[in-house]
Amino acid sequence: MRFFDTHTHLDYLSESLNLSISTLVENAKQAQVERILIVAVFAENFAKVTACAKEKPENLVYGLGLHPLYIKQHSIQHLDLLENLLSQKDPQCTAIAEIGLEKAVAEVTTEKLWKKQCEFLEAQLALAKQFALPVNLHSRKSHDQLYTFLKKVQLPQTGVVHGFSGSYEQAKRFVDLGYKIGIGGTITYARANKTRETIRRLPLESLLLETDSPDMPVFGFQGEPNRPERLLVSFRSLCELRQESPQFIADTIWQNSNNLFSRQNKL
């Protein structure tokens, strides 16, 4: 089996564990996690994310984007920088990520900042359309609003709603638009009934696996930085929820992931 961790903050994981990117990648490979997508969150870590990916180009790809949680510090100049970097068409840059909407944190949902969130999402979706790149989407308590933007823009490469924890009906709307649903640590918790039931019912072709390292810990490792190798914990939980064989699940999700985020879809 081969696995692709489709959402990580490997730069932060490296700092928190004081381990090199090479070591993190080798640890992941020992657990059959052969490919990893590193996502950015603000302009100040664009260069670091890019440099991390360059350390292991055979295993790592990256995405650049402006995360809604940091909306206060984003500026028009950062959007200009993002466009400039995307225009260089680095084959390892395979996504605009992490972008989206955040409604679970009151500090960034004032009328002024919510408007700015929407404007920055719209601008980055336009860049995704311009450069034919998929998007890796953050969405907390904002699925319905996010859906409206995605339906309007009609991206040629779509993307994934990462760390999904909404209802089946919300997930199905994204899937019907051509988007994937990113699943990780949440489904490893027995109490997460709504999410587990949603993932059980969705088409396997619509699912991706992710860790969100160092965030979103899996059951049994609460309080510890998450790591790409723990993707297998989520995979085992997924297999318990599905009727398909583990090998078929692994093969299908590997293909789903590569179709969306591989280096020019040729890895």
Side-chain angles (χ1 to χ4, degrees):
M1 295 181 185
R2 295 181 292 174
F3 297 96
F4 192 145
D5 189 343
T6 60
H7 193 106
T8 74
H9 303 274
L10 218 59
D11 51 330
Y12 289 122
L13 181 63
S14 175
E15 291 171 9
S16 66
L17 297 178
N18 196 26
L19 292 174
S20 69
I21 294 297
S22 292
T23 298
L24 294 176
V25 169
E26 290 307 311
N27 290 345
K29 287 167 66 178
Q30 292 296 316
Q32 301 167 285
V33 180
E34 295 186 10
R35 293 179 191 154
I36 298 170
L37 174 67
I38 313 173
V39 302
V41 293
F42 45 71
E44 286 76 8
N45 80 326
F46 286 177
K48 181 71 179 291
V49 163
T50 304
C52 287
K54 297 300 177 187
E55 292 189 37
K56 282 283 189 176
E58 66 275 22
N59 303 108
L60 300 175
V61 289
Y62 69 95
L64 301 178
L66 302 169
H67 193 298
L69 268 175
Y70 303 95
I71 194 63
K72 284 184 179 180
Q73 67 192 72
H74 300 331
S75 70
I76 297 300
Q77 287 73 29
H78 296 156
L79 284 172
D80 292 341
L81 173 63
L82 178 58
E83 182 174 10
N84 178 262
L85 292 171
L86 295 174
S87 72
Q88 297 174 21
K89 298 187 177 179
D90 180 357
Q92 263 184 281
C93 181
T94 63
I96 296 182
E98 176 180 357
I99 69 173
L101 295 172
E102 171 64 63
K103 289 198 80 174
V105 178
E107 189 180 352
V108 296
T109 55
T110 62
E111 184 178 352
K112 179 181 177 181
L113 288 178
W114 176 251
K115 183 173 182 286
K116 187 178 177 184
Q117 278 197 56
C118 292
E119 289 169 351
F120 271 68
L121 173 62
E122 198 163 32
Q124 291 178 97
L125 291 175
L127 290 175
K129 196 163 196 175
Q130 178 181 341
F131 294 104
L133 285 170
V135 290
N136 204 307
L137 296 156
H138 174 97
S139 180
R140 283 202 301 184
K141 297 189 175 180
S142 58
H143 293 329
D144 295 339
Q145 293 89 346
L146 179 62
Y147 172 83
T148 300
F149 279 102
L150 298 180
K151 186 177 181 182
K152 178 182 176 183
V153 74
Q154 295 290 309
L155 293 184
Q157 294 295 328
T158 66
V160 60
V161 182
H162 112 86
F164 188 83
S165 60
S167 68
Y168 171 77
E169 290 73 23
Q170 288 171 320
K172 187 67 165 54
R173 291 175 82 200
F174 289 125
V175 169
D176 288 345
L177 273 185
Y179 286 79
K180 307 296 185 189
I181 301 297
I183 52 176
T186 302
I187 67 165
T188 67
Y189 293 85
R191 67 176 184 272
N193 293 319
K194 181 176 71 172
T195 303
R196 285 165 61 88
E197 177 64 13
T198 294
I199 299 310
R200 185 187 68 78
R201 294 176 61 189
L202 288 173
L204 188 60
E205 293 72 21
S206 69
L207 303 181
L208 302 181
L209 283 167
E210 60 174 69
T211 60
D212 200 17
S213 302
D215 301 320
M216 208 161 67
V218 296
F219 180 76
F221 296 93
Q222 297 94 317
E224 298 180 24
N226 203 4
R227 308 178 183 216
E229 56 263 34
R230 292 180 186 154
L231 193 77
L232 293 188
V233 181
S234 298
F235 172 68
R236 287 192 287 270
S237 292
L238 178 62
C239 291
E240 292 170 2
L241 296 172
R242 307 287 305 192
Q243 297 299 312
E244 303 93 343
S245 72
Q247 186 68 57
F248 184 79
I249 293 170
D251 290 345
T252 302
I253 291 184
W254 171 255
Q255 193 61 52
N256 295 346
S257 305
N258 283 295
N259 286 345
L260 199 56
F261 292 128
S262 268
R263 183 170 176 161
Q264 293 192 346
N265 294 332
K266 294 176 184 176
L267 272 176

